[in-house]
Amino acid sequence: MKRYLVRRIAVIPFLMLGIITMVFIVSRLTPADPLVSIVGARNLNNPTIVAAAKARWGLDQSIPIQYLKYMKNVFQGDLGTSFTTRKPVLHDLWDRLPATLELTSFALVIGVVGGVGLGVLAARHRNTIIDHVARFFALLGSSLPAFWAGLLGLYVLYSRLEWLPGPGRLDPRADPPARITGFFTVDALLHGDMSTFWSALRHLILPACVLGWGVIGIVSRLVRASLLDEFSMEYVRVARAMGLRERTVVNNHALRNALLPTITIVGFSFAYLITGAVLTEIVFSWPGLGSYAVEASRKLDFPAVIGVSALGGLAFLLTNLITDIAYAIADPRIRLS
Amino acid sequence: MIEQAVAPVPTGAPTAEPILRLRDLRVTFDTVGGPARAVRGVSLDVFPGEAVAVVGESGSGKSVTMLATLGLLRGAAVSGSATYRGTELIGLAPSRLRHVRGAKISMVFQDPMTSLNPVLTVGRQLDMVMRAHNPDMSKKATRARAVDLLDQVAIAQAARRCDAYPHELSGGMRQRVMIAMAIANEPEVLIADEPTTALDVTVQAQIMDLLGRLQRERQLSLVLITHDLGVVAGAADRLAVMYAGKLVEHGTVPSVFAEPGHPYTRGLLACLPRLDRRGEMQAAIPGIPPSPLSLPPGCPFAPRCPDAVTACTEHEPVLVRTATSTIACSVHAPAAVVR
């Protein structure tokens, strides 16, 4: 197990190099010119400005040279400077990462807790109205685009009912708490600032639910299916024959096994969360990596695009690693080998 | 069809009240192919401290009868009566039935590879079984008792095995764990459903010895479900033979073995491998048991029966007492009164 882990961690840097190279090549193959967004369309006819900009951003060199220079910087821990924000990409990423992490982790918790709960409910009441409603709810969650559900949620819960605040991470007049973790909810709590905490939490609810709904959809269907599989297993009949409460049979016996495939799917649903976060962040004006990525792509901000992609790739690799570790912890049959 | 309620009280049985009493138990599964009548009216008594073997081929309904008694069949229509010390179990509320299962009547299952939860330690599974009936027992107490139980079922290094996962144990050891779970709450009746079928031959004898010892020591009533008459000889006092969802013969083991009354029982006994007839072709009953979806008219065994006459396909025989046992056969024990 230990050796396996070391091996898994050791390959991560190499995979990262591959990801960065791929994104670099794809970005340079784009049949559009980032100069437009750097100097503005008006100055494109001005050869002095264009030449200066090209020299400034290193775009005057051939692509292989650009690549080598870029990689040299990467090895020194420099992901370049964003064309648009004019700040180091690493700085931008660090700035925006907590917002996205806070959103996705809340969404993941909502998705997993809600998904497991709904799946158990559907399996225990298989083929009843409860099961059908759960199926419909799950289907909606995984098929409704996040921007649609988000806009609908904002319209109903914010504009109409005014139960929840509008877009953003905080009320417009509130100051964000001094950064400790970058999670507004956590930082506000650490500072003992309850009003900021409530504001941050209330702002978080709707986007996290919109994003988590899709995960509920995926997880609940899987939990239902694997729980039904487990119900037909002999050990469940044995547990019943031994007089165990039905609740114990489901929660302590069957669910424990049914959650094994769920661990894998939760890892996978992280991919869904990353793409979903892009859409959700735009709808909710959430200042995270998703909106940063969209801005960067629209303006062909090469360093920013590569930086966001690399971070997404890293997140994916780490999630896979965590998934495998979690699986090994949960399944004693794997732990040994 | 003539149904005669013959109380299956055996000759030489204990005179006490039966601890488990089945009367006209019927189980029907609703299948795509129509209703499958798996058990068609079984009446059987189990007395305190005795061992009853229920014998039959796969699909004869012997397991289903016992599963239905404990309410462990889902999606099956069960009718008739099964009483434990006078308490009717069929249709009993799940919350009350739970207190019978495992505590009064317990069950050991066929395949120890699948009957234990793969992701929980042996000790944890024993703990849950004990707490199901004694919720106030402390972790420490269940742990101590778990070790003691594993010791009783002759598992070496019981304390260490307590923390083992099922996949770390051999098949025989898992079946011992299963038995430990079954006796953890001191039940009065132990139903063993083909407890040795999935095990190696050498381990089979050990498990049967263990069950026999526990039965004697604890004065358990043992219901041994098996298709292997060889297992029955040393382990059971009485024998009930099932075919196509009905009892076709029952009596004490010595008398049935000495003089089987029903042609099916004779066939089963003839199938036992015998050391004194080496070199001969192993005997077998020709044909296969009928499908519970489409039973033949009259006696369900008639198509395979060497003694069958025309009358066999006309009326299904009822259980009739003979000199040595009770059998359902129109040829060898014609019903005294046919209305």
Side-chain angles (χ1 to χ4, degrees), chain A residues 16-29:
Chain A
M16 288 305 298
L17 280 184
I19 291 171
I20 290 174
T21 306
M22 291 281 285
V23 186
F24 185 91
I25 293 170
V26 170
S27 67
R28 303 297 146 134
L29 288 178

mmCIF file with all atom_site columns, all heavy atoms in Angstrom, chain A residues 16-29:
data_model
loop_
_atom_site.group_PDB
_atom_site.id
_atom_site.type_symbol
_atom_site.label_atom_id
_atom_site.label_alt_id
_atom_site.label_comp_id
_atom_site.label_asym_id
_atom_site.label_entity_id
_atom_site.label_seq_id
_atom_site.pdbx_PDB_ins_code
_atom_site.Cartn_x
_atom_site.Cartn_y
_atom_site.Cartn_z
_atom_site.occupancy
_atom_site.B_iso_or_equiv
_atom_site.pdbx_formal_charge
_atom_site.auth_seq_id
_atom_site.auth_comp_id
_atom_site.auth_asym_id
_atom_site.auth_atom_id
_atom_site.pdbx_PDB_model_num
ATOM 1   N N   . MET A 1 16 ? 1.640  16.253 -14.835 1.00 0.00 ? 16 MET A N   1
ATOM 2   C CA  . MET A 1 16 ? 1.417  17.694 -14.895 1.00 0.00 ? 16 MET A CA  1
ATOM 3   C C   . MET A 1 16 ? 2.167  18.317 -16.077 1.00 0.00 ? 16 MET A C   1
ATOM 4   O O   . MET A 1 16 ? 1.618  19.164 -16.788 1.00 0.00 ? 16 MET A O   1
ATOM 5   C CB  . MET A 1 16 ? 1.868  18.367 -13.592 1.00 0.00 ? 16 MET A CB  1
ATOM 6   C CG  . MET A 1 16 ? 0.972  18.101 -12.402 1.00 0.00 ? 16 MET A CG  1
ATOM 7   S SD  . MET A 1 16 ? -0.737 18.534 -12.700 1.00 0.00 ? 16 MET A SD  1
ATOM 8   C CE  . MET A 1 16 ? -0.583 20.292 -13.000 1.00 0.00 ? 16 MET A CE  1
ATOM 9   N N   . LEU A 1 17 ? 3.410  17.881 -16.278 1.00 0.00 ? 17 LEU A N   1
ATOM 10  C CA  . LEU A 1 17 ? 4.174  18.386 -17.421 1.00 0.00 ? 17 LEU A CA  1
ATOM 11  C C   . LEU A 1 17 ? 3.437  18.083 -18.719 1.00 0.00 ? 17 LEU A C   1
ATOM 12  O O   . LEU A 1 17 ? 3.342  18.932 -19.618 1.00 0.00 ? 17 LEU A O   1
ATOM 13  C CB  . LEU A 1 17 ? 5.556  17.735 -17.453 1.00 0.00 ? 17 LEU A CB  1
ATOM 14  C CG  . LEU A 1 17 ? 6.596  18.331 -16.507 1.00 0.00 ? 17 LEU A CG  1
ATOM 15  C CD1 . LEU A 1 17 ? 7.945  17.655 -16.726 1.00 0.00 ? 17 LEU A CD1 1
ATOM 16  C CD2 . LEU A 1 17 ? 6.722  19.832 -16.774 1.00 0.00 ? 17 LEU A CD2 1
ATOM 17  N N   . GLY A 1 18 ? 2.907  16.857 -18.807 1.00 0.00 ? 18 GLY A N   1
ATOM 18  C CA  . GLY A 1 18 ? 2.156  16.464 -20.006 1.00 0.00 ? 18 GLY A CA  1
ATOM 19  C C   . GLY A 1 18 ? 0.952  17.355 -20.210 1.00 0.00 ? 18 GLY A C   1
ATOM 20  O O   . GLY A 1 18 ? 0.699  17.840 -21.320 1.00 0.00 ? 18 GLY A O   1
ATOM 21  N N   . ILE A 1 19 ? 0.219  17.602 -19.127 1.00 0.00 ? 19 ILE A N   1
ATOM 22  C CA  . ILE A 1 19 ? -0.987 18.433 -19.233 1.00 0.00 ? 19 ILE A CA  1
ATOM 23  C C   . ILE A 1 19 ? -0.614 19.834 -19.711 1.00 0.00 ? 19 ILE A C   1
ATOM 24  O O   . ILE A 1 19 ? -1.217 20.380 -20.644 1.00 0.00 ? 19 ILE A O   1
ATOM 25  C CB  . ILE A 1 19 ? -1.706 18.505 -17.864 1.00 0.00 ? 19 ILE A CB  1
ATOM 26  C CG1 . ILE A 1 19 ? -2.300 17.138 -17.517 1.00 0.00 ? 19 ILE A CG1 1
ATOM 27  C CG2 . ILE A 1 19 ? -2.786 19.576 -17.875 1.00 0.00 ? 19 ILE A CG2 1
ATOM 28  C CD1 . ILE A 1 19 ? -2.833 17.046 -16.098 1.00 0.00 ? 19 ILE A CD1 1
ATOM 29  N N   . ILE A 1 20 ? 0.423  20.408 -19.088 1.00 0.00 ? 20 ILE A N   1
ATOM 30  C CA  . ILE A 1 20 ? 0.824  21.774 -19.459 1.00 0.00 ? 20 ILE A CA  1
ATOM 31  C C   . ILE A 1 20 ? 1.243  21.831 -20.923 1.00 0.00 ? 20 ILE A C   1
ATOM 32  O O   . ILE A 1 20 ? 0.844  22.746 -21.674 1.00 0.00 ? 20 ILE A O   1
ATOM 33  C CB  . ILE A 1 20 ? 1.964  22.257 -18.532 1.00 0.00 ? 20 ILE A CB  1
ATOM 34  C CG1 . ILE A 1 20 ? 1.409  22.483 -17.115 1.00 0.00 ? 20 ILE A CG1 1
ATOM 35  C CG2 . ILE A 1 20 ? 2.595  23.547 -19.060 1.00 0.00 ? 20 ILE A CG2 1
ATOM 36  C CD1 . ILE A 1 20 ? 2.458  22.809 -16.087 1.00 0.00 ? 20 ILE A CD1 1
ATOM 37  N N   . THR A 1 21 ? 2.004  20.830 -21.358 1.00 0.00 ? 21 THR A N   1
ATOM 38  C CA  . THR A 1 21 ? 2.431  20.796 -22.760 1.00 0.00 ? 21 THR A CA  1
ATOM 39  C C   . THR A 1 21 ? 1.236  20.737 -23.695 1.00 0.00 ? 21 THR A C   1
ATOM 40  O O   . THR A 1 21 ? 1.152  21.475 -24.687 1.00 0.00 ? 21 THR A O   1
ATOM 41  C CB  . THR A 1 21 ? 3.350  19.581 -22.992 1.00 0.00 ? 21 THR A CB  1
ATOM 42  O OG1 . THR A 1 21 ? 4.409  19.619 -22.047 1.00 0.00 ? 21 THR A OG1 1
ATOM 43  C CG2 . THR A 1 21 ? 3.902  19.580 -24.404 1.00 0.00 ? 21 THR A CG2 1
ATOM 44  N N   . MET A 1 22 ? 0.292  19.847 -23.363 1.00 0.00 ? 22 MET A N   1
ATOM 45  C CA  . MET A 1 22 ? -0.896 19.707 -24.209 1.00 0.00 ? 22 MET A CA  1
ATOM 46  C C   . MET A 1 22 ? -1.644 21.032 -24.320 1.00 0.00 ? 22 MET A C   1
ATOM 47  O O   . MET A 1 22 ? -1.993 21.479 -25.422 1.00 0.00 ? 22 MET A O   1
ATOM 48  C CB  . MET A 1 22 ? -1.855 18.660 -23.603 1.00 0.00 ? 22 MET A CB  1
ATOM 49  C CG  . MET A 1 22 ? -1.352 17.248 -23.644 1.00 0.00 ? 22 MET A CG  1
ATOM 50  S SD  . MET A 1 22 ? -1.557 16.514 -25.249 1.00 0.00 ? 22 MET A SD  1
ATOM 51  C CE  . MET A 1 22 ? -3.314 16.208 -25.213 1.00 0.00 ? 22 MET A CE  1
ATOM 52  N N   . VAL A 1 23 ? -1.869 21.663 -23.181 1.00 0.00 ? 23 VAL A N   1
ATOM 53  C CA  . VAL A 1 23 ? -2.640 22.903 -23.211 1.00 0.00 ? 23 VAL A CA  1
ATOM 54  C C   . VAL A 1 23 ? -1.866 23.984 -23.946 1.00 0.00 ? 23 VAL A C   1
ATOM 55  O O   . VAL A 1 23 ? -2.446 24.779 -24.691 1.00 0.00 ? 23 VAL A O   1
ATOM 56  C CB  . VAL A 1 23 ? -2.988 23.378 -21.781 1.00 0.00 ? 23 VAL A CB  1
ATOM 57  C CG1 . VAL A 1 23 ? -3.910 24.575 -21.837 1.00 0.00 ? 23 VAL A CG1 1
ATOM 58  C CG2 . VAL A 1 23 ? -3.639 22.267 -21.000 1.00 0.00 ? 23 VAL A CG2 1
ATOM 59  N N   . PHE A 1 24 ? -0.549 23.982 -23.774 1.00 0.00 ? 24 PHE A N   1
ATOM 60  C CA  . PHE A 1 24 ? 0.267  24.969 -24.486 1.00 0.00 ? 24 PHE A CA  1
ATOM 61  C C   . PHE A 1 24 ? 0.073  24.802 -25.988 1.00 0.00 ? 24 PHE A C   1
ATOM 62  O O   . PHE A 1 24 ? -0.209 25.776 -26.708 1.00 0.00 ? 24 PHE A O   1
ATOM 63  C CB  . PHE A 1 24 ? 1.744  24.772 -24.118 1.00 0.00 ? 24 PHE A CB  1
ATOM 64  C CG  . PHE A 1 24 ? 2.643  25.825 -24.707 1.00 0.00 ? 24 PHE A CG  1
ATOM 65  C CD1 . PHE A 1 24 ? 2.932  26.987 -24.004 1.00 0.00 ? 24 PHE A CD1 1
ATOM 66  C CD2 . PHE A 1 24 ? 3.176  25.665 -25.983 1.00 0.00 ? 24 PHE A CD2 1
ATOM 67  C CE1 . PHE A 1 24 ? 3.752  27.958 -24.553 1.00 0.00 ? 24 PHE A CE1 1
ATOM 68  C CE2 . PHE A 1 24 ? 3.986  26.641 -26.543 1.00 0.00 ? 24 PHE A CE2 1
ATOM 69  C CZ  . PHE A 1 24 ? 4.282  27.788 -25.812 1.00 0.00 ? 24 PHE A CZ  1
ATOM 70  N N   . ILE A 1 25 ? 0.192  23.565 -26.470 1.00 0.00 ? 25 ILE A N   1
ATOM 71  C CA  . ILE A 1 25 ? 0.073  23.324 -27.909 1.00 0.00 ? 25 ILE A CA  1
ATOM 72  C C   . ILE A 1 25 ? -1.320 23.711 -28.397 1.00 0.00 ? 25 ILE A C   1
ATOM 73  O O   . ILE A 1 25 ? -1.474 24.432 -29.392 1.00 0.00 ? 25 ILE A O   1
ATOM 74  C CB  . ILE A 1 25 ? 0.361  21.839 -28.217 1.00 0.00 ? 25 ILE A CB  1
ATOM 75  C CG1 . ILE A 1 25 ? 1.833  21.532 -27.916 1.00 0.00 ? 25 ILE A CG1 1
ATOM 76  C CG2 . ILE A 1 25 ? 0.036  21.518 -29.666 1.00 0.00 ? 25 ILE A CG2 1
ATOM 77  C CD1 . ILE A 1 25 ? 2.168  20.064 -27.943 1.00 0.00 ? 25 ILE A CD1 1
ATOM 78  N N   . VAL A 1 26 ? -2.340 23.260 -27.664 1.00 0.00 ? 26 VAL A N   1
ATOM 79  C CA  . VAL A 1 26 ? -3.706 23.555 -28.100 1.00 0.00 ? 26 VAL A CA  1
ATOM 80  C C   . VAL A 1 26 ? -3.946 25.062 -28.141 1.00 0.00 ? 26 VAL A C   1
ATOM 81  O O   . VAL A 1 26 ? -4.533 25.596 -29.086 1.00 0.00 ? 26 VAL A O   1
ATOM 82  C CB  . VAL A 1 26 ? -4.725 22.860 -27.167 1.00 0.00 ? 26 VAL A CB  1
ATOM 83  C CG1 . VAL A 1 26 ? -6.143 23.353 -27.456 1.00 0.00 ? 26 VAL A CG1 1
ATOM 84  C CG2 . VAL A 1 26 ? -4.649 21.357 -27.336 1.00 0.00 ? 26 VAL A CG2 1
ATOM 85  N N   . SER A 1 27 ? -3.438 25.771 -27.123 1.00 0.00 ? 27 SER A N   1
ATOM 86  C CA  . SER A 1 27 ? -3.697 27.211 -27.107 1.00 0.00 ? 27 SER A CA  1
ATOM 87  C C   . SER A 1 27 ? -3.015 27.909 -28.291 1.00 0.00 ? 27 SER A C   1
ATOM 88  O O   . SER A 1 27 ? -3.596 28.792 -28.906 1.00 0.00 ? 27 SER A O   1
ATOM 89  C CB  . SER A 1 27 ? -3.229 27.814 -25.779 1.00 0.00 ? 27 SER A CB  1
ATOM 90  O OG  . SER A 1 27 ? -1.813 27.746 -25.685 1.00 0.00 ? 27 SER A OG  1
ATOM 91  N N   . ARG A 1 28 ? -1.795 27.472 -28.633 1.00 0.00 ? 28 ARG A N   1
ATOM 92  C CA  . ARG A 1 28 ? -1.095 28.136 -29.764 1.00 0.00 ? 28 ARG A CA  1
ATOM 93  C C   . ARG A 1 28 ? -1.696 27.746 -31.096 1.00 0.00 ? 28 ARG A C   1
ATOM 94  O O   . ARG A 1 28 ? -1.443 28.386 -32.104 1.00 0.00 ? 28 ARG A O   1
ATOM 95  C CB  . ARG A 1 28 ? 0.395  27.781 -29.762 1.00 0.00 ? 28 ARG A CB  1
ATOM 96  C CG  . ARG A 1 28 ? 1.120  28.124 -28.478 1.00 0.00 ? 28 ARG A CG  1
ATOM 97  C CD  . ARG A 1 28 ? 1.119  29.610 -28.207 1.00 0.00 ? 28 ARG A CD  1
ATOM 98  N NE  . ARG A 1 28 ? 1.038  29.821 -26.764 1.00 0.00 ? 28 ARG A NE  1
ATOM 99  C CZ  . ARG A 1 28 ? 1.786  30.675 -26.071 1.00 0.00 ? 28 ARG A CZ  1
ATOM 100 N NH1 . ARG A 1 28 ? 2.627  31.471 -26.669 1.00 0.00 ? 28 ARG A NH1 1
ATOM 101 N NH2 . ARG A 1 28 ? 1.650  30.772 -24.775 1.00 0.00 ? 28 ARG A NH2 1
ATOM 102 N N   . LEU A 1 29 ? -2.424 26.657 -31.140 1.00 0.00 ? 29 LEU A N   1
ATOM 103 C CA  . LEU A 1 29 ? -3.026 26.241 -32.407 1.00 0.00 ? 29 LEU A CA  1
ATOM 104 C C   . LEU A 1 29 ? -4.318 27.005 -32.677 1.00 0.00 ? 29 LEU A C   1
ATOM 105 O O   . LEU A 1 29 ? -4.884 26.906 -33.753 1.00 0.00 ? 29 LEU A O   1
ATOM 106 C CB  . LEU A 1 29 ? -3.337 24.736 -32.382 1.00 0.00 ? 29 LEU A CB  1
ATOM 107 C CG  . LEU A 1 29 ? -2.109 23.815 -32.464 1.00 0.00 ? 29 LEU A CG  1
ATOM 108 C CD1 . LEU A 1 29 ? -2.543 22.356 -32.389 1.00 0.00 ? 29 LEU A CD1 1
ATOM 109 C CD2 . LEU A 1 29 ? -1.344 24.071 -33.748 1.00 0.00 ? 29 LEU A CD2 1
#
